[in-house]
Amino acid sequence: MDHFSYIDGRLHAEGVDAHGIVERYGSPVYVYSARTLREHVATLRQAFAPAAPMICFSVKSCANLSVLRLLADAGCGMDVVSGGELYRALAAGVAADRIVFAGVGKSMDEIRYAVEQGVHMFNAESEAEMARLDEAALAAGKRVRVAVRVNPDVADAGTPAKTSTGGRQTKFGVPLSRAAALFVPGRHRGLDVCGVHVHLGSPIHDTRTYLAAIGRIEELVAEVERGGGRVDTVNLGGGFPAHYGRSEGGAELVDMGRAICERLEPLRARGKRFIIEPGRSISANAGVLLTTVEYVKQGWDRLVTVLNAGMNTLLRPSMYGAEHFMWPAQHGSHTGHWNALAGPNAFEPTDIVGPICETGDYFALGRPLPPMKSGDVLAVFSCGAYGMSMASQYNARARPAEVMVDGTEVREIRRRESYADLVAHEVDGMS
């Protein structure tokens, strides 16, 4: 459960009225609930308690320094996929030995930087990457811990094609049939190849997808150990689901965690340690986007509602076909959680679109919503993951502010960009 609810028809983030946030910080604006972030970490820890994994938050899902600092204070490590994300995690005060470095295309500069900082482990995606890691480790005079990311050819039927990463046709990982050879003792002089990593995509709604992957990991571990290699860590990646205001037919997180831990018990009994890399299951429902209606016009066969936020602000609907629940920040007299508003209704369908010069710039098409007018504030829910982290300056539109609500306290954690920010990094190459 998150902490966004209506009181007498007005949306509140924890104890703060959403309209007051817009009046103070402008629109569009991303709003995060500190209480929700903390409670979601606690829920994950409870769900996976029997396996006691190291929880490494996926920085790519929500990279704001204040969010990372709050999660680190709640006991999370970090999962990073670039040198920039590593820099962010360190800047947020996360200890390097609580950071796992993943990513399919690590440059040599990024590898050297992470080796120098002393990250907990690399998730290596290829034989060629492991050769680079070995070179960097030897040059630094360090012994570097590595988990081999395997591609187990396991995919979840409910995961969008663009975020499904466990099937054999994706770019990720080492084919399972080639993985055991990378653990042969002495193959890499500077590496301690001691982990198996798998990430199947996101979101994963069917627990059986994880269970199938664990079965293949068990087989690989047995093969590695028969060949004299060693595996002390199993990293299951992330992909645990969040709720986007509609019935998705997936398992609840606590039930999913319980089943996964039961399946991991034979590995745990043999002394293996575990890592998980959740992102959206912690941050998605901890954030909302508040955006303002610019125009409402009549199209050929339905209303068109134009917002001041578009695909540059929230890319998921255009890129993935994601369906976020949305509702006016002030409507009627409802008191209670926003999800209670998600049932069928008789409102007129409207296209919810942005200002970007692309036909694909929309948040929803034909969505039944209460009547709105210019100046109304619309709340787009479950935007805490892959919202601001994927925002851009396309069409030379400045990125929004971000704020954190903690009880009745509101803090700006990223200022709204100005026009000057749009050109701040450019140089005059013609003079």
Side-chain angles (χ1 to χ4, degrees):
M1 180 65 71
D2 60 74
H3 294 280
F4 296 96
S5 60
Y6 282 79
I7 300 174
D8 295 330
R10 294 177 69 90
L11 176 64
H12 285 68
E14 298 193 22
V16 180
D17 190 308
H19 280 85
I21 294 174
V22 170
E23 289 171 5
R24 183 174 176 183
Y25 297 105
S27 166
V29 58
Y30 277 100
V31 182
Y32 305 105
S33 161
R35 182 178 176 186
T36 302
L37 289 165
R38 295 187 188 104
E39 290 187 2
H40 285 180
V41 173
T43 297
L44 267 166
R45 188 169 286 116
Q46 175 190 358
F48 288 88
M54 179 179 175
I55 299 174
C56 290
F57 176 70
S58 175
V59 172
K60 64 181 177 288
S61 67
C62 189
N64 184 281
L65 292 179
S66 294
V67 171
L68 301 185
R69 190 172 294 115
L70 182 152
L71 294 175
D73 290 344
C76 290
M78 298 291 153
D79 158 47
V80 304
V81 296
S82 70
E85 286 192 353
L86 173 57
Y87 182 87
R88 278 186 168 274
L90 294 170
V94 182
D97 63 3
R98 299 280 295 169
I99 297 173
V100 174
F101 197 156
V104 71
K106 305 178 190 72
S107 70
M108 194 62 180
D109 285 343
E110 289 175 313
I111 287 171
R112 291 192 187 105
Y113 175 43
V115 169
E116 175 188 329
Q117 295 300 318
V119 298
H120 175 71
M121 180 172 271
F122 286 87
N123 295 333
E125 297 258 2
S126 65
E127 294 94 329
E129 181 188 329
M130 293 182 72
R132 281 190 180 182
L133 284 166
D134 199 28
E135 178 185 341
L138 291 171
K142 294 187 176 183
R143 189 81 175 165
V144 173
R145 285 171 52 82
V146 173
V148 177
R149 178 172 180 174
V150 298
N151 186 317
D153 194 21
V154 172
D156 182 80
T159 300
K162 291 181 180 179
T163 58
S164 179
T165 59
R168 66 170 59 196
Q169 301 304 322
T170 71
K171 66 181 180 180
F172 296 98
V174 176
L176 198 62
S177 60
R178 299 175 59 91
L182 299 177
F183 291 83
V184 173
R187 176 166 176 164
H188 303 95
R189 293 184 295 145
L191 306 183
D192 184 6
V193 186
C194 58
V196 176
H197 174 246
V198 64
H199 181 67
L200 306 173
S202 182
I204 304 292
H205 297 289
D206 191 342
T207 305
R208 292 173 296 182
T209 305
Y210 288 105
L211 304 185
I214 293 169
R216 298 192 180 184
I217 289 172
E218 279 186 319
E219 294 172 2
L220 174 61
V221 170
E223 182 181 358
V224 167
E225 292 179 342
R226 284 195 301 270
R230 179 177 68 91
V231 174
D232 63 25
T233 301
V234 173
N235 185 334
L236 288 179
F240 312 115
H243 292 287
Y244 288 91
R246 57 192 173 88
S247 176
E248 294 171 315
E252 293 295 329
L253 185 59
V254 172
D255 295 331
M256 180 177 279
R258 182 183 303 113
I260 290 172
C261 287
E262 289 176 357
R263 186 65 185 82
L264 288 173
E265 178 56 28
L267 289 168
R268 190 201 66 79
R270 293 167 53 194
K272 312 305 180 190
R273 298 188 298 270
F274 304 103
I275 298 173
I276 56 174
E277 299 166 342
R280 78 177 69 237
S281 57
I282 291 176
S283 64
N285 291 104
V288 301
L289 172 65
L290 301 179
T291 174
T292 302
V293 175
E294 294 285 2
Y295 304 100
V296 179
K297 65 180 184 179
Q298 182 63 55
W300 279 93
D301 56 6
R302 68 180 69 158
L303 289 176
V304 178
T305 299
V306 184
L307 308 175
N308 68 349
M311 62 189 291
N312 65 304
T313 313
L314 178 65
L315 185 59
R316 297 188 71 253
S318 297
M319 185 168 182
Y320 303 126
E323 297 181 18
H324 289 258
F325 180 68
M326 55 194 74
W327 201 258
Q330 182 174 0
H331 175 75
S333 59
H334 174 73
T335 294
H337 190 260
W338 62 268
N339 203 31
L341 298 164
N345 55 64
F347 295 119
E348 184 174 357
T350 180
D351 290 350
I352 307 297
V353 306
I356 301 299
C357 292
E358 298 279 353
T359 303
D361 178 32
Y362 60 82
F363 287 173
L365 300 177
R367 180 73 63 87
L369 284 170
M372 290 180 286
K373 63 184 184 303
S374 177
D376 285 352
V377 176
L378 181 69
V380 186
F381 293 88
S382 306
C383 289
Y386 306 102
M388 187 61 179
S389 65
M390 297 179 75
S392 75
Q393 296 175 338
Y394 185 43
N395 279 192
R397 301 189 72 89
R399 284 173 289 195
E402 295 174 282
V403 303
M404 179 79 75
V405 176
D406 196 350
T408 58
E409 179 185 354
V410 185
R411 291 183 295 111
E412 185 177 49
I413 58 175
R414 188 182 196 275
R415 66 170 176 81
R416 182 178 309 281
E417 291 179 339
S418 66
Y419 287 160
D421 291 323
L422 297 176
V423 298
H425 297 286
E426 298 175 31
V427 298
D428 184 1
M430 303 301 293
S431 60

